Amino acid sequence: MSQDAVIDRAAEQIGRAQADKALRPTIAGFFDEATYTVSYVVHDPATNEAAIIDSVLDYESASGRTSNGSADRIIEYIDTNNLKVMWLIETHAHADHISAAPYLQQKLGGKLAIGKDIVRVQEVFGKLFNAGTEFQRDGSQFDKLFEDGETFRIGELEGMAIHVPGHTPADMAFLIGDAAFVGDTIFMPDFGTARADFPGGDARQLFQSIRRLLSLPDDTRLFLCHDYKAPGRDEYAWETTVRQQREENVHVKDGVTEDEFVEMRTSRDKTLAMPNLIMPSVQVNIRGGRLPEPEDNGVSYIKIPVNAV
């Protein structure tokens, strides 16, 4: 047993799922090439209860127009397979795409969930965007705020939330059966790891979170939120294992020290441009995927702070 009780319980859950295929989820990935994002529908074959993880609302930045093509693909899959949506899960408040969770919730039902430290992200970005007192910074835009180690169910499937901060303070990995949906903590082994330079991010904390995930059993399946096709690879990919990451990840494989990672990550982050959709994405996603309240002309507006980031 380790000194991390949550990871020990997660390992036990994975063991049960690996021993009994009835406890393993059916998983469908939906890749949005415009934002390099993978959304997932995860369901229990026995009951058809399902969760949608990290959905995407299509957004055209030049015109400020939204559309629902990506979300409608998920709805079609849900309907075709007669699934019942119980959860709409966000691994974190994304800075590179807008969540379609409210649209999907309206169409399909389910509870909207995120990690409890979303309140820290709301506080930081509420100030940045001068959101005012009408913007509640208490996570009330979500139906459920998960704590580290908290469990849930999707039909007969066991689920557990695992806090993995560093990319943002609120990042959570969601373990369903033997499959962990890890958000932006880590990418495919040939691409490495997520940046840690957003407000509230921390490279040292990110290393610790990744090593926490990589202490799960070797055969644990990891499903990623993004893929950018590392140089030399022609196909997008978003599924890997703990063993593969420990052996091959170019940033954080076994043998890389915390200090080495922090130096690499900090230096690398200084060279990265901000995500193209960070301003609309964060403003909407801290509101649970809802647009800012319309002004007196009935129109919602996205703010862009000048010389503030």
Side-chain angles (χ1 to χ4, degrees):
M1 301 290 284
S2 73
Q3 294 181 327
D4 189 330
V6 170
I7 292 300
D8 288 341
R9 289 194 291 111
E12 291 170 359
Q13 174 183 312
I14 292 163
R16 288 190 292 271
Q18 290 177 340
D20 183 356
K21 65 180 182 181
L23 299 179
R24 300 176 212 159
T26 297
I27 301 166
F30 298 82
F31 186 69
D32 176 56
E33 192 164 356
T35 61
Y36 307 101
T37 302
V38 193
S39 305
Y40 296 97
V41 176
V42 186
H43 83 268
D44 171 25
T47 64
N48 277 2
E49 291 189 3
I52 300 170
I53 301 176
D54 290 337
S55 61
V56 174
L57 181 74
D58 301 315
Y59 179 77
E60 212 293 307
S61 57
S63 65
R65 290 195 172 275
T66 64
S67 57
N68 300 311
S70 295
D72 286 339
R73 289 169 56 207
I74 290 175
I75 292 173
E76 181 180 12
Y77 177 85
I78 295 286
D79 289 344
T80 298
N81 291 279
N82 297 312
L83 305 183
K84 181 180 180 182
V85 175
M86 308 304 294
W87 294 101
L88 299 140
I89 292 173
E90 301 292 335
T91 55
H92 63 293
H94 310 275
D96 42 28
H97 73 271
I98 297 174
S99 169
Y103 173 76
L104 290 167
Q105 189 175 43
Q106 180 185 30
K107 298 289 186 180
L108 302 170
K111 293 182 178 180
L112 175 56
I114 200 167
K116 71 179 183 64
D117 283 304
I118 186 61
V119 298
R120 295 178 57 193
V121 180
Q122 289 176 328
E123 185 64 30
V124 169
F125 284 100
K127 290 179 180 177
L128 177 63
F129 293 116
N130 198 29
T133 56
E134 71 277 5
F135 171 55
Q136 298 298 310
R137 296 160 170 83
D138 58 2
S140 58
Q141 300 84 355
F142 300 84
D143 301 310
K144 173 64 179 177
L145 302 182
F146 277 106
E147 297 190 24
D148 185 37
E150 190 170 356
T151 59
F152 61 100
R153 300 194 76 87
I154 302 171
E156 299 302 316
L157 302 179
E158 297 178 280
M160 180 182 293
I162 303 173
H163 191 209
V164 285
H167 175 63
T168 80
D171 279 61
M172 301 290 280
F174 288 88
L175 178 66
I176 301 172
D178 65 332
F181 300 85
V182 300
D184 285 11
T185 54
I186 199 166
F187 299 135
M188 289 300 290
D190 57 359
F191 199 87
T193 57
R195 66 195 299 166
D197 61 332
F198 295 145
D202 185 284
R204 194 167 299 276
Q205 199 173 49
L206 179 60
F207 178 87
Q208 295 165 2
S209 292
I210 291 171
R211 296 311 305 184
R212 191 182 197 207
L213 286 174
L214 297 188
S215 65
L216 292 170
D218 283 350
D219 292 336
T220 305
R221 296 183 290 164
L222 304 180
F223 290 85
L224 317 180
C225 188
H226 295 286
D227 186 53
Y228 303 96
K229 284 198 301 189
R233 176 157 54 88
D234 295 328
E235 301 294 330
Y236 291 109
W238 47 80
E239 180 180 353
T240 178
T241 65
V242 165
R243 177 186 290 107
Q244 186 181 17
Q245 294 285 5
R246 292 185 64 162
E247 292 177 351
E248 302 175 17
N249 189 284
V250 294
H251 292 169
V252 73
K253 63 186 175 184
D254 288 354
V256 176
T257 69
E258 183 173 319
D259 287 342
E260 288 171 339
F261 175 81
V262 170
E263 181 179 2
M264 177 283 301
R265 189 71 265 169
T266 303
S267 298
R268 183 179 176 89
D269 287 351
K270 290 178 180 178
T271 71
L272 300 177
M274 286 289 103
N276 290 335
L277 296 182
I278 186 170
M279 294 304 174
S281 295
V282 172
Q283 283 177 82
V284 174
N285 292 337
I286 61 175
R287 292 174 164 87
R290 299 172 186 86
L291 296 174
E293 285 296 315
E295 298 193 6
D296 55 12
N297 61 354
V299 177
S300 292
Y301 289 87
I302 298 294
K303 292 182 179 179
I304 300 179
V306 179
N307 298 327
V309 179

